Amino acid sequence: MYHHVKKLMYTVTIGEPDPKFGKMLLEQFGGANGELAAAMQYSIQGFNCEDAARKDLLMDIGTEELSHLEVVGALIRMHLKPMKSNREAAEADPLVAIAGGGGVALFDSMGNAWTADYLKVTGDLAVDLRSNIAAEARAKIVYERLISFTQDQGSKQALQFLMTREITHMRAFTAALDSMEKPQFSVGIIQPTPHLVDQFFNGSTGESQYGESDFVGPWNHGNGLVPVESEIKGGEGLDVKPYDPQPGTEKTSSIDSTPVGEYTNGVGKKQAALHEKINAEAAKNAVVEV
Amino acid sequence: MYHHVKKLMYTVTIGEPDPKFGKMLLEQFGGANGELAAAMQYSIQGFNCEDAARKDLLMDIGTEELSHLEVVGALIRMHLKPMKSNREAAEADPLVAIAGGGGVALFDSMGNAWTADYLKVTGDLAVDLRSNIAAEARAKIVYERLISFTQDQGSKQALQFLMTREITHMRAFTAALDSMEKPQFSVGIIQPTPHLVDQFFNGSTGESQYGESDFVGPWNHGNGLVPVESEIKGGEGLDVKPYDPQPGTEKTSSIDSTPVGEYTNGVGKKQAALHEKINAEAAKNAVVEV
Amino acid sequence: MYHHVKKLMYTVTIGEPDPKFGKMLLEQFGGANGELAAAMQYSIQGFNCEDAARKDLLMDIGTEELSHLEVVGALIRMHLKPMKSNREAAEADPLVAIAGGGGVALFDSMGNAWTADYLKVTGDLAVDLRSNIAAEARAKIVYERLISFTQDQGSKQALQFLMTREITHMRAFTAALDSMEKPQFSVGIIQPTPHLVDQFFNGSTGESQYGESDFVGPWNHGNGLVPVESEIKGGEGLDVKPYDPQPGTEKTSSIDSTPVGEYTNGVGKKQAALHEKINAEAAKNAVVEV
Amino acid sequence: MYHHVKKLMYTVTIGEPDPKFGKMLLEQFGGANGELAAAMQYSIQGFNCEDAARKDLLMDIGTEELSHLEVVGALIRMHLKPMKSNREAAEADPLVAIAGGGGVALFDSMGNAWTADYLKVTGDLAVDLRSNIAAEARAKIVYERLISFTQDQGSKQALQFLMTREITHMRAFTAALDSMEKPQFSVGIIQPTPHLVDQFFNGSTGESQYGESDFVGPWNHGNGLVPVESEIKGGEGLDVKPYDPQPGTEKTSSIDSTPVGEYTNGVGKKQAALHEKINAEAAKNAVVEV
Amino acid sequence: MYHHVKKLMYTVTIGEPDPKFGKMLLEQFGGANGELAAAMQYSIQGFNCEDAARKDLLMDIGTEELSHLEVVGALIRMHLKPMKSNREAAEADPLVAIAGGGGVALFDSMGNAWTADYLKVTGDLAVDLRSNIAAEARAKIVYERLISFTQDQGSKQALQFLMTREITHMRAFTAALDSMEKPQFSVGIIQPTPHLVDQFFNGSTGESQYGESDFVGPWNHGNGLVPVESEIKGGEGLDVKPYDPQPGTEKTSSIDSTPVGEYTNGVGKKQAALHEKINAEAAKNAVVEV
Amino acid sequence: MYHHVKKLMYTVTIGEPDPKFGKMLLEQFGGANGELAAAMQYSIQGFNCEDAARKDLLMDIGTEELSHLEVVGALIRMHLKPMKSNREAAEADPLVAIAGGGGVALFDSMGNAWTADYLKVTGDLAVDLRSNIAAEARAKIVYERLISFTQDQGSKQALQFLMTREITHMRAFTAALDSMEKPQFSVGIIQPTPHLVDQFFNGSTGESQYGESDFVGPWNHGNGLVPVESEIKGGEGLDVKPYDPQPGTEKTSSIDSTPVGEYTNGVGKKQAALHEKINAEAAKNAVVEV
């Protein structure tokens, strides 16, 4: 259940309204990496989460992002205000000015309607947490750019507040992923094909007119990875020998989501039972330490 | 410049065509986490990348994903074939059968046209690499689920090949991010607000009818994070004291993308010059070790 | 600021999971007339609302719809559960099963991603309230149809709860519109052209193969309306004499939103000042009677 | 069957072309509340309408809106003309200028392609008429804002013509809804839960930094509605006792659309038969008085 | 101005309703190559057309397609009818059944909302006519496939009627293009670069596992075209010598649309004047022979 | 399999960056008729093509278009560069500047995300080739307009290169269609209804306020076509006598795609066998003359 408190999480004040900056700010209201996207991504992951502890985390942050939507919305409204009565201001975004009456709406800085296509929700907790870490990094960089495009102190401070929270959330999601105690590259329940998984394929070669060329770095040499040249360049190509997948071979965590699929060799049932047990244990105390 | 070699990267064979499984597989052709999404996300990041070495990486993997698009397309076409001539098969996806003639097209398993809204491209390399790590994790789990929903050996082996490559790429993107030698939570050039950045806000409280409750875990307690209760629950709320953002205070890497914004305190110019120097150095050799 | 309480607003229980019914229910989660659409439409209208009293109303109902999103999400998750492990169930919606892991996500019953194109937000309060009355009527009929397509008692009762609330909201929005004390067909500040506004144009004539014909009813005859035949049928056509619009001629309410436009003859400024006065008056008391 | 008459319904003339105003006007050509949206919403409702008399109404107005699409298109084309040959004009909307050759196309003022997601079509006549009343109110306010952003007399007069027609249609749809003789809040065939339907839930409380607070008004007190406080604020919360839905209990009209659902207690069959009878009766005369 | 005649252009009758076939038919109502797409593409091209004679053609066919939308809509409604009251039928398309009440709406066979992204409108008449020829060919093949998936005679005959009209239109558009008397490959006003325009680039080489290989055919050898091998295959690559574009060098027709651009060397002005002259001449007679 | 060569297909250089022109150029990167649309349309048609020779053609051109995507991307990046650090430049497209960091991404000139709805892929080769001819004509005219809106020589030359290739491709697709040796208006396997197919329906009549009227031209008179007047104008209307479709009656080519449908009278099987035979024959030689 949700409750709304009329007080904004952060008190927004601005100097002179700057409608073109207001339009830029819409990125963080109805844009791909904006506050609604964050709120929905985490909350819906939370609705689906089988682990009660990390569900709490997802709902905590998902709800805070809704509060941020309200804060950034208030900031934007202050900047958009001249669109209501000034033709030149209105020209910058007629969708906001004419159709929306000069207020905020779920569009980005170029008038694209918000879409759930922005969200990354797989229902696999360890995967979703990675999507969230990346989402927070994106939101951080977008806020920073907005800060670096305005000189209005009130706006800068409000954006600094919102930007800071993204780093907090990035740290929290990272801690939650770490607390699952999974090996760094273990995803799901089926191990990748040995040998093939170590081959880095050199799909782009040669030198450009602008001096770019072919590099050897830690991503194709070292870290267990070896470079493989394409047959078109006289190389051996990837090791494409057929290999049968084996559900249940990958290293998993007790916190992992129940794997999806009809032929999971019973891993699904075991994991579902494990969740029930962990959550039942946890539910015995009002506030639980993991 | 691109060149196409008629030989598929992996030889696909299947037993009995299974059109409803073919429809499922469309997730990885024209779906949100599918091969075109991967190919485009990495290639376009590559087009924009200022660091010639990691641009090479992005183009290598972006190009390999195009080859995967072709492989998964071949697999799907084999499964969809009955849609051409069998009414019941055609009912499963009339968009494929009637409009598309029973072949592959850029739709997902529910007929949604592929959209660039699926992509995450910020132009900040360290951020984009995080988006790519998450993208590979998502692609891995989707392939695994497809494997666990079929018993056709040829299909399983083809999917195992494709799934394995995602883990290879996840490792490569991680190595590339590590090689930038940035602190784990440093994004961009503006430090988050001290103290506030350590506060984990408890936005969701109480107990549900289903036994879920409020947890203390490493994401809100420890790792430098401290829990903060909302004013609506009698807590102190977040530290919302205004704080002025300071471009140039965050720890950066020589590999970082040039920061975006008009008021970056000259960090932008310095970084752009640095890139020019590093790339010029590298361009002296045909194949370069980073 | 938002706060999340873990307890669902309504306790959901079901009998046997019915994944195809779960798919139908997605209409009310991520569909055009579903709970997120309602929550966002009212909340964003609320963010923009200049009248503090009716803003309170919009936030009350917008927030309740978020709680409904959570309730209907819980119901759907129970029904979708077999999609996680059963191939036939998964075929009904592979986007949910394969990409989403069998949980809820912001898609409708045919897999369309939720889009803000569903929302109707003009920033004119009297118009927005009409959009909300219509939205509630749509949500009511959709819930009713869902009820009439299932025999599971727990599901029916949960849907009855949600359906009932739509009628409550429809009544509240109607009361709010009535309380503005505007004439029924007064919208904005410019009167329609006299005489022309009374002409009902008979754009469709003749008889169909199926017995349909041309009718005279209270919508084209009476209520001040008179039927006009098209010139193609030998009629006089509409009265198309040019007529100059006169901002400030339409009957308005003290609660009306500030009109948008550069040439509003000062009506805009007067209305903005009026709002400030009314809200200031109201703000003197913690709970205010309108 | 449709027929096109080359003569425009309204003769459009303008003074100086104003391409940025032309761009604004696109809202009413390919925008969410524009003429195509109106034409399609009413015509498709008309295609589906079981009541021959109100189907006539829907086709009359749906067809008139097509004629309006042509009129507003002519107006826009006059304003966009400089985009064909002037670089600065073309910058305002390159999608129109470069891709479309400077003519009209089905985009809104920010270049969004028209989508059927804008339409509200439920197939329940009494619901659809409410959606139409709201749609006309939205179209009216958008025309008015456009009028208030230009000083070109010819444009203002053309927009005044189109704006006036929206009020005519709003009156006609209202008369049609009234003629169904349904109680104001009766939708469909299932009564809402007694008592619960009277509870207005106070989901947003407290006071904002900007002086907004909690109000008592006719939407939560009076009109049969009573305010209910949330448990988080120490209130009793809504009456969530399970209640079985009863198809056939709501007050209906002989004009109501046939209810949809498998378990409608036979209400569906009765209503379908009723329609057949009413329409057969009406079909006996070429022009019928309702 | 449009007028609607209640009589359908073709009398539709069917045998047994087949809801899954009805769903397939939605391709031609709200699908990418369906009747609304055709109606809108031609009508909007018509609105923009500077040549009064071919504008007449575009409006003739655009209007007929609207009449077809109505016919195919009637056919679909007959097939969808069981979705109103039968759960199994409703499962095939809950968006139609639950949200739309079992009637037609602007969705395709997989529930995608119609979008103007389907349309091809460039405002260059000779280009648009080519788009229309292709569009008619697509519509023809889609109707034919629908015919070949049903055994209901009434449905087949209705589809045969609609399919036939596409060929009529394809012939008319071809005649209109021919009547412009332009060389087959002349588009616009700038000649392509000599020599380079004759080079067919062999971008795909080698042999696939499935026996596909590299071909020489009339598209890369003959017709003035010569094959060129890529540098990656040891070839010379394309002739990439820079070449300055020369507006006014391409062969044009007196019917050509006015070219778009600021630097057209006055071709734009001449063409606009030519149109005015031709149309003025034509307007002297009520019905004009071209 | 794809391979990327770092060298751009065309060396791009520009004078002064022009960010607003860069924004215009995005039409050809992520726009409806841009290079990705071309690359995907042809490549996916190629994936599905049953005729190995014309599949080679489709892959050749599809791959070249990918190389063009890279070239136009490089050109655009040069022009967009000021968006990284200049507020006024950034205002022209905040989606590019703020969210994308000033690089290219899959958006058009108005910020619309690229969508596969732009593509025309039916799986019928003779139809798809027509769609491709039209697509090339559209791409040509768009490049030409871009050329005519800039005075930067390097940009003009790069665009001239890309524009020229579209004409090459248009010629190649035309040669491929001609080489199928089908009658000009034969599409698929079912003949249109005789007599009806010759009737041109005069759906738009009368004279406009602007002098437009009803024309007789080669599209409605001659070429086997005869004009038919609507009943609403006192004409006889179309010949709507029911007519049974006859699969197998249309003139076909040995190269035609296998027809789709369950009731194709065995034409499907025969055509599939024919393809196998032709391809097997061709596969005997490494490079094959058609």
Side-chain angles (χ1 to χ4, degrees), chain A residues 59-71:
Chain A
M59 297 311 297
D60 282 341
I61 303 186
T63 306
E64 185 180 340
E65 304 287 14
L66 273 180
S67 302
H68 293 180
L69 182 72
E70 201 184 9
V71 171

Side-chain angles (χ1 to χ4, degrees), chain A residues 56 122 131 138 140 144 148 157 164-165 168 187 189-190 193 197 199 215-216 244 262-263 288 290, chain B residues 56 131 138 140 144-145 148 157 164-165 168 187 189-190 193 197 199 215-216 244 262-263 288 290:
Chain A
D56 182 27
T122 67
S131 294
R138 291 193 298 269
K140 201 276 178 183
E144 178 176 309
S148 295
Q157 290 172 342
T164 294
R165 301 307 297 156
T168 307
V187 175
I189 59 168
I190 306 178
T193 308
V197 76
Q199 297 187 314
F215 284 83
V216 172
D244 288 325
E262 187 158 342
Y263 310 110
V288 192
V290 177
Chain B
D56 182 27
S131 293
R138 291 192 298 268
K140 201 278 178 182
E144 179 176 308
R145 289 167 178 172
S148 295
Q157 289 172 343
T164 294
R165 300 305 298 156
T168 306
V187 175
I189 58 168
I190 306 179
T193 308
V197 76
Q199 297 187 312
F215 284 83
V216 173
D244 288 324
E262 188 157 340
Y263 309 111
V288 191
V290 177

Side-chain angles (χ1 to χ4, degrees), chain F residues 223-239:
Chain F
N223 294 295
L225 293 160
V226 292
V228 169
E229 296 299 318
S230 172
E231 286 152 298
I232 202 179
K233 301 298 292 182
E236 292 208 0
L238 291 172
D239 173 10

Side-chain angles (χ1 to χ4, degrees), chain D residues 94-113:
Chain D
L95 182 60
V96 163
I98 306 294
V104 288
L106 287 174
F107 298 105
D108 72 6
S109 65
M110 289 294 281
N112 294 299

Side-chain angles (χ1 to χ4, degrees), chain C residues 140 148 187 190 216 262 288, chain D residues 56 140 148 187 190 216 262 288:
Chain C
K140 201 277 178 181
S148 295
V187 176
I190 307 179
V216 172
E262 187 156 343
V288 191
Chain D
D56 182 28
K140 201 277 178 182
S148 294
V187 175
I190 306 179
V216 173
E262 189 157 341
V288 191

Side-chain angles (χ1 to χ4, degrees), chain A residues 146-164:
Chain A
L146 288 165
I147 288 170
S148 295
F149 271 124
T150 185
Q151 291 192 298
D152 177 68
Q153 198 192 18
S155 302
K156 281 171 114 75
Q157 290 172 342
L159 295 169
Q160 171 79 13
F161 170 76
L162 294 164
M163 184 194 81
T164 294

